[in-house]
Amino acid sequence: MLVSTPQTTPEITAEAAAAAIRKARAAMARYRFMALVTGVMLLILCVELGIKYGLGAVTDVDGVMPFIAWVPFAHGWIYVVYLVTVADLWSKMRWGFGRLVTMVIAGVIPVMSFVLEKKVHGEAEAKLAALEARYLS
């Protein structure tokens, strides 16, 4: 239960803190999974585009295209799910707007989602560990 007055900050119970930390860890796990899936799909999309426009400029790739034409659509829908997990983690961790923008952009720049996922995970773990030490010790 949160108790608040205009002059003080709210007091958080151990149960509320434990629930918030548990939800944040779950959001972080979902984000990590989707960051990796999105990154892999983006790399596959780059290969598809290389075949379509790079190799397609030199040779006939019409026989291959039906087998890889699904990649842009799959990446698009996976990116939408990634955006939902980004928004969920961002709201639970109460990070700034710049972090949200960076995490959103990481889903469309090849390899950036892997790099940012590692950084976000480290910072989130440190913040959650500090919260556990503060409220659950």
Side-chain angles (χ1 to χ4, degrees):
M1 181 171 139
L2 298 176
V3 180
S4 174
T5 62
Q7 294 83 16
T8 64
T9 59
E11 294 180 26
I12 300 174
T13 64
E15 296 83 24
I21 291 169
R22 187 175 53 255
K23 289 177 183 179
R25 286 196 187 284
M28 185 171 49
R30 289 187 297 271
Y31 163 75
R32 292 185 76 194
F33 176 77
M34 286 310 302
L36 295 175
V37 170
T38 302
V40 168
M41 280 305 298
L42 186 56
L43 292 176
I44 292 171
L45 178 63
C46 289
V47 170
E48 188 264 349
L49 291 173
I51 291 170
K52 184 176 182 178
Y53 296 110
L55 195 58
V58 179
T59 186
D60 181 31
V61 293
D62 291 339
V64 177
M65 289 314 297
F67 298 106
I68 58 175
W70 59 271
V71 173
F73 301 105
H75 171 69
W77 283 107
I78 288 171
Y79 182 68
V80 169
V81 175
Y82 169 77
L83 291 177
V84 171
T85 62
V86 163
D88 183 37
L89 179 62
W90 175 76
S91 67
K92 285 182 175 50
M93 296 302 294
R94 298 182 179 188
W95 282 323
F97 186 71
R99 172 60 56 93
L100 175 65
V101 171
T102 305
M103 291 169 71
V104 166
I105 291 172
V108 294
I109 298 176
V111 185
M112 187 174 170
S113 67
F114 302 122
V115 174
L116 191 63
E117 180 274 325
K118 185 174 177 87
K119 181 180 179 184
V120 165
H121 177 254
E123 290 177 8
E125 276 296 328
K127 185 174 182 178
L128 292 174
L131 289 172
E132 284 177 335
R134 180 176 177 184
Y135 291 107
L136 304 179
S137 295

